[in-house]
Amino acid sequence: MRALILLGLVGLAAQLVDGSLGMAYGVTSTTLLLAIGTNAAAASATVHLAEIGTTLASGISHWRFNNVDWKVVAKIGVPGAIGAFAGATFLSSLSTELAAPIMSIILLSLGVYIIVRFTAFGLPKGNLGKPLRKRFLAPLGLVAGFVDATGGGGWGPVGTPAILASGRIPPRKVIGSIDASEFLVAIAASVGFLIGIGSENINFAWVGVLLLGGVIAAPIAAWLVRHIPPRILGSAVGGVIVLTNVRTLLRSDWIDAPGNVQAIAYLVIAVIWVAAIVYSVREYRRDKENESVEAIEAELRQRAAEEGEKSPA
């Protein structure tokens, strides 16, 4: 019973973070399942089955708060589902020991860019309102879906920073669209796991409590992301990406850093992260009329109106 309660709380906390920052549900939940001895395929299968419900609840919640760009969902979700099915089907024979550090370096670079860009300059506005092309979103979805299934998490950490870095849509819509499209990824990955390992290795009680915690947290997270200023949200997301991927690299066979070195690295990153958020809050308060969610939405509407006037009747 204690284990089930703990899993339920983890599901709630993971979805609260995931729905607010666009990542971490799978990574957090899978990490716990692996820590208590679940094999990799069963852990990822359990999390993805729970995510069918949590991502549906999260997607609906984000939709109700107008956080979703459905064109982005369609362009990234279908390739993501294909990648997730492939990753789930071949997980038992695929080694991600080499791929994980390489992916972490890419994600770490994006994380550093985002935390510096948002903290120092706020939301990139040069590309706001411009469409995200299918030739960018389709390969991104394919890779993110594959990584998500094989690693027990990765849809958010791969998809969110890449779209955020483009600066074409507000952070809250990046997060809402990533969370909504993850529903397709979760279904595809779950089908792949059920075909690959069957249902006998999956604890459906664990699936249920993870799902319950996530469903409770989904509307709260969707509300939070609607009200958190983009500059502050970008700094927070960047910190999560940096900390998560530094942890992966330090623990990889490439580095295999001692525990004390890891602790110092985490402490340094945490201090920088907190300082970045504090600075972003200060800058936001100083220029609130230009950096609030409402101001950015107004700027998007103005640009859309100007484009409409330029277009021939």
Side-chain angles (χ1 to χ4, degrees), residues 55-70 73 172-173 175-177 179-180 215 218-227:
T55 54
L56 178 61
S58 184
I60 292 173
S61 298
H62 278 297
W63 165 69
R64 293 188 66 180
F65 283 102
N66 194 30
N67 295 339
V68 179
D69 185 324
W70 291 108
V73 171
R172 67 177 183 84
K173 288 212 169 187
I175 291 168
S177 302
D179 277 8
V215 168
I220 302 172
W223 180 87
L224 283 174
V225 77
R226 183 67 180 85
H227 292 81

Side-chain angles (χ1 to χ4, degrees), residues 16 25 27 55 72 95 101 108 129 133 159 161 165 180-181 190 193 195 201 203 272 279 290 299:
L16 194 61
Y25 183 90
V27 173
T55 54
V72 173
S95 172
L108 178 59
R133 303 297 183 186
S181 59
S190 297
F193 282 121
I195 293 174
N201 293 318
N203 189 322
I272 295 173
Y279 180 82
N290 292 321
E299 183 173 344

Side-chain angles (χ1 to χ4, degrees), residues 6 22 28 41 44 100 111 117 124 130 133 165 170-171 175 204-205 207 235 237 245 274 276 288 296 305:
L6 177 60
T28 303
S44 187
R117 183 65 180 84
K130 295 180 181 179
R133 303 297 183 186
I175 291 168
F204 286 93
V207 173
S235 297
V237 170
N245 290 287
V274 171
K288 186 175 181 179
I296 291 170

Side-chain angles (χ1 to χ4, degrees), residues 115 119 235-236 239 267-281:
I115 197 170
T119 301
S235 297
L267 180 60
V268 171
I269 292 170
V271 170
I272 295 173
W273 186 16
V274 171
I277 293 175
V278 169
Y279 180 82
S280 292
V281 170

Side-chain angles (χ1 to χ4, degrees), residues 118-159:
F118 276 80
T119 301
F121 306 104
L123 175 69
K125 296 182 180 180
N127 291 321
L128 270 178
K130 295 180 181 179
L132 282 161
R133 303 297 183 186
K134 187 175 181 180
R135 61 176 177 266
F136 166 71
L137 290 175
L140 176 64
L142 194 67
V143 172
F146 189 84
V147 172
D148 186 80
T150 56
W155 178 251
V158 174

Side-chain angles (χ1 to χ4, degrees), residues 154-311:
W155 178 251
V158 174
T160 299
I163 300 178
L164 270 177
S166 73
R168 290 175 181 259
I169 59 177
R172 67 177 183 84
K173 288 212 169 187
V174 174
I175 291 168
S177 302
I178 284 291
D179 277 8
S181 59
E182 194 172 8
F183 175 66
L184 300 175
V185 174
I187 291 177
S190 297
V191 171
F193 282 121
L194 289 173
I195 293 174
I197 67 173
S199 61
E200 60 273 9
N201 293 318
I202 301 173
N203 189 322
F204 286 93
W206 293 0
V207 173
V209 292
L210 284 171
L211 170 60
L212 178 62
V215 168
I216 292 172
I220 302 172
W223 180 87
L224 283 174
V225 77
R226 183 67 180 85
H227 292 81
I228 299 174
R231 184 174 200 141
I232 299 172
L233 190 61
S235 297
V237 170
V240 171
I241 297 166
V242 170
L243 187 60
T244 301
N245 290 287
V246 166
R247 178 178 180 274
T248 299
L249 287 169
L250 291 177
R251 294 188 172 194
S252 69
D253 291 337
W254 287 13
I255 300 177
D256 193 20
N260 59 336
V261 173
Q262 294 184 38
I264 293 172
Y266 301 153
L267 180 60
V268 171
I269 292 170
V271 170
I272 295 173
W273 186 16
V274 171
I277 293 175
V278 169
Y279 180 82
S280 292
V281 170
R282 189 184 72 179
E283 291 300 301
Y284 165 72
R285 287 178 175 175
R286 191 172 68 176
D287 196 22
K288 186 175 181 179
E289 63 180 20
N290 292 321
E291 293 198 2
S292 67
V293 172
E294 292 77 10
I296 291 170
E297 292 294 331
E299 183 173 344
L300 276 171
R301 288 193 294 270
Q302 182 179 352
R303 291 192 182 189
E306 291 174 354
E307 289 297 322
E309 291 176 0
K310 292 178 182 179
S311 300

